[in-house]
Amino acid sequence: MTLYFDLSQTLPDAGPAPVGHDVGFCQQCEVRTSAICAVLAKDERAALNRLGRRVTICAGQTVMWEGDDATIVANVIQGTLKLSASTGDGREQIVGVVYPSDFIGRPFGRSTPHRVTALTDARLCLFTRGAFDGFARANPDLGHRLLQRTLDDLDRARTWMLLLGRKNAREKIATFLLDMSRRLATDGREPLDSFELPLSRQQVADVLGLTIETVSRQLTDMKRAGIIALPNRRTVDLLDRDRLVWCAEAA
Amino acid sequence: MTLYFDLSQTLPDAGPAPVGHDVGFCQQCEVRTSAICAVLAKDERAALNRLGRRVTICAGQTVMWEGDDATIVANVIQGTLKLSASTGDGREQIVGVVYPSDFIGRPFGRSTPHRVTALTDARLCLFTRGAFDGFARANPDLGHRLLQRTLDDLDRARTWMLLLGRKNAREKIATFLLDMSRRLATDGREPLDSFELPLSRQQVADVLGLTIETVSRQLTDMKRAGIIALPNRRTVDLLDRDRLVWCAEAA
DNA sequence: CGGTGAGTTGAAAGCAATCAAATGGCGTGG
DNA sequence: CCACGCCATTTGATTGCTTTCAACTCACCG
């Protein structure tokens, strides 16, 4: 099997090389119940496993470039990544943030529309697009699960368009914090009242269509107002969720 | 079959009531080669036809409201519709514009995420969600076509996020005009150099995250610069596509 | 203990929003 | 056929939010 992925990019200290074709892989996979593979029967999963390969990547590494031939797709097993688009002169917009069990890449298409970059060290379950496409066509359940996920992504993207087009800086920051508190709640389903941002200030700005200075100022204002606390650069405590919700809609 | 659609909303002068279950319907359908139904075999299409119903709606009518129980989905046969989201205090963002052969509604989900409103008089091929969902699950090809369409929509939405978050008014208008010249080219594949906007100035503003005054000013400026001509309120002629492309990226 | 880079704060500028008024196309009714 | 009113759009003046440019703070690390 040819791997369309530059393994020189993987973590040097990633431990032993991925075992690759070991069928046991999926049985212990952290995201086996939540990724799209969850719908597969045991033997189907084994077949898919034979097509895939686990890779570990470092924070900051780009996995796919926009405009690339779409040669790979992947499930996120661990870590956080961003999808981004940019203008010719370098302005950047983050168009999506993906978490464990999310799916990345553009199946059934010629080229990858957006850049995919790791925000933290991450582990992916990687497939060549051709192999994945074939498997998905042959397994309607998998295709259906992918459809549901894509529909959800589309809803989320469109909801974010309202934020980008019509909300002011205060509302953007408040909405963003509430969204993070929900998205980062992996297990308990309860939105978190304290969490660690996987994003730098600049990246928050790139998600919200703002500048880093505006993000910083808004966060400071909210801190002064007692709505949030910022114990360190990456941690956010939501002290007054009600007021934050109010900020998010009617700043 | 129960119809979850208020037929009192349909055009009073829509002519004879829809024939509904006539199998011949699909054979002459204007979008039979481009809508998602195109992948179906003749007998499958007949089966789907039995589930659907054609309706005609007037410009300005809303077909689905955000937050509604998702009870219907539809193919657009004729006309243009908008998908929109809005804040509590009434600011609106158009998150999508749909044309003939596009699919609307939220299959496989509880509730409709966005409002769908006709921009022009329009004809839809309407299904109850439950019936459509069942049919799509039983016909993987249809599901796959829907997946491809949804993936395309997602790519387009994310590309638009770059515009909303990072482009200035001039770039937004230029990008919008170029996009329209491509999307409105129904047959010839060639982008049009003259076209009729299906949107009012306010609606253009709602697509771009601007105010109506800013839209008007930018169009006037471009007219003065000889880049476009505006023979009447709805018509746009692209006089200098090269310069427009330049505006779109580096205003 | 200085160096580095992320983040914060301050001052000023700029772009789009807001408020307000004028224009112009179009249909109705005289 | 023309006058009128309505409404979408344009144009003008001003405001103000976010950006820009610049300096400073702070945590972390050799």
Side-chain angles (χ1 to χ4, degrees):
Chain A
M1 175 180 140
T2 310
L3 274 178
Y4 297 95
F5 190 72
D6 179 3
L7 289 176
S8 68
Q9 288 190 338
T10 57
L11 270 180
D13 58 343
V19 184
H21 298 174
D22 178 355
V23 177
F25 249 20
C26 291
Q27 312 300 338
Q28 289 99 40
C29 179
E30 295 94 317
V31 297
R32 67 184 177 284
T33 59
S34 47
I36 56 172
C37 341
V39 291
L40 297 175
K42 190 171 287 184
D43 57 333
E44 294 169 331
R45 204 180 310 174
L48 181 60
N49 186 48
R50 238 167 281 128
L51 302 174
R53 167 140 199 182
R54 291 195 166 191
V55 292
T56 304
I57 52 174
C58 294
Q61 287 189 328
T62 294
V63 183
M64 312 176 197
W65 279 262
E66 63 273 28
D68 268 11
D69 286 351
T71 52
I72 55 170
V73 298
N75 277 310
V76 179
I77 299 170
Q78 199 178 64
T80 311
L81 299 90
K82 66 172 179 174
L83 314 182
S84 62
S86 53
T87 62
D89 59 345
R91 285 168 286 173
E92 177 168 333
Q93 177 67 46
I94 294 179
V95 298
V97 180
V98 295
Y99 301 92
S101 88
D102 284 340
F103 182 86
I104 55 179
R106 179 58 163 88
F108 313 112
R110 292 247 122 260
S111 76
T112 302
H114 310 293
R115 184 177 300 209
V116 181
T117 307
L119 295 172
T120 64
D121 291 350
R123 274 188 311 146
L124 306 178
C125 182
L126 203 67
F127 305 91
T128 64
R129 185 178 67 78
F132 179 86
D133 285 3
F135 191 89
R137 288 307 311 255
N139 289 268
D141 283 346
L142 187 69
H144 185 252
R145 188 70 186 262
L146 186 57
L147 173 57
Q148 287 192 313
R149 197 171 276 274
T150 306
L151 286 164
D152 285 341
D153 285 348
L154 181 57
D155 288 346
R156 219 173 305 118
R158 286 177 166 162
T159 298
W160 215 249
M161 288 171 73
L162 174 63
L163 174 142
L164 291 172
R166 292 302 188 197
K167 290 190 177 181
N168 64 28
R170 171 61 61 97
E171 294 168 320
K172 284 179 175 178
I173 292 284
T175 306
F176 169 77
L177 293 176
L178 290 168
D179 185 66
M180 273 291 159
S181 104
R182 255 188 304 107
R183 301 280 302 274
L184 291 174
T186 43
D187 37 1
R189 298 298 81 197
E190 285 297 304
L192 302 169
D193 280 336
S194 179
F195 53 87
E196 185 135 330
L197 285 177
L199 305 168
S200 70
R201 292 287 186 271
Q202 180 61 59
Q203 287 162 346
V204 174
D206 290 340
V207 169
L208 298 176
L210 296 172
T211 59
I212 184 174
E213 295 95 331
T214 300
V215 170
S216 178
R217 275 187 256 270
Q218 292 296 334
L219 287 173
T220 304
D221 288 354
M222 286 188 173
K223 184 171 69 177
R224 267 201 281 268
I227 300 172
I228 60 172
L230 303 167
N232 65 57
R233 287 179 173 182
R234 290 291 184 125
T235 307
V236 180
D237 298 343
L238 306 189
L239 302 178
D240 190 339
R241 183 176 287 269
D242 292 343
R243 210 133 50 100
L244 199 56
V245 168
W246 184 85
C247 283
E249 264 291 286
Chain B
M1 175 180 140
T2 310
L3 274 179
Y4 296 96
F5 191 72
D6 181 1
L7 290 177
S8 67
Q9 289 188 339
T10 57
L11 270 180
D13 58 344
V19 184
H21 299 175
D22 177 356
V23 176
F25 249 21
C26 292
Q27 311 300 339
Q28 288 98 41
C29 180
E30 295 93 317
V31 297
R32 68 184 176 283
T33 58
S34 47
I36 56 172
C37 340
V39 291
L40 298 175
K42 191 172 287 185
D43 57 334
E44 294 169 330
R45 206 181 308 174
L48 182 59
N49 186 47
R50 238 167 280 127
L51 301 175
R53 167 142 200 180
R54 291 195 166 192
V55 292
T56 304
I57 53 174
C58 294
Q61 288 189 327
T62 295
V63 183
M64 312 176 197
W65 279 262
E66 65 272 29
D68 268 10
D69 287 350
T71 53
I72 55 170
V73 298
N75 278 310
V76 179
I77 298 170
Q78 198 179 64
T80 311
L81 299 90
K82 66 173 180 174
L83 314 182
S84 62
S86 53
T87 62
D89 60 346
R91 284 168 286 174
E92 177 169 332
Q93 177 67 45
I94 294 179
V95 297
V97 180
V98 295
Y99 301 93
S101 88
D102 284 340
F103 182 87
I104 56 179
R106 180 58 163 87
F108 313 112
R110 291 248 123 260
S111 75
T112 302
H114 309 294
R115 184 177 301 209
V116 181
T117 307
L119 295 172
T120 63
D121 290 350
R123 273 188 312 145
L124 307 178
C125 181
L126 203 68
F127 305 91
T128 64
R129 185 178 66 79
F132 179 87
D133 285 2
F135 191 88
R137 289 306 312 254
N139 289 267
D141 283 347
L142 186 69
H144 184 253
R145 188 71 186 261
L146 186 57
L147 173 57
Q148 287 193 313
R149 198 170 274 276
T150 306
L151 285 163
D152 285 342
D153 285 348
L154 180 57
D155 288 347
R156 219 173 306 117
R158 284 176 167 162
T159 298
W160 214 249
M161 289 172 71
L162 174 63
L163 174 142
L164 291 172
R166 292 300 187 200
K167 291 191 176 180
N168 64 28
R170 171 63 61 97
E171 295 167 320
K172 284 179 176 179
I173 293 283
T175 305
F176 169 78
L177 292 177
L178 290 169
D179 185 66
M180 274 290 158
S181 104
R182 256 189 304 106
R183 301 281 299 275
L184 291 175
T186 43
D187 37 3
R189 297 297 84 196
E190 285 298 304
L192 301 169
D193 280 336
S194 178
F195 53 87
E196 185 134 333
L197 285 176
L199 306 169
S200 70
R201 292 287 185 273
Q202 180 61 59
Q203 287 162 347
V204 174
D206 290 340
V207 169
L208 298 175
L210 296 171
T211 59
I212 183 174
E213 294 95 331
T214 299
V215 170
S216 178
R217 274 187 256 270
Q218 292 296 335
L219 287 174
T220 304
D221 288 354
M222 286 186 172
K223 184 172 69 177
R224 267 200 281 269
I227 299 172
I228 59 172
L230 302 167
N232 64 57
R233 287 178 173 181
R234 290 293 184 123
T235 308
V236 179
D237 298 342
L238 307 189
L239 303 179
D240 189 339
R241 184 177 287 270
D242 293 342
R243 211 134 50 100
L244 200 55
V245 168
W246 184 83
C247 282
E249 264 290 287

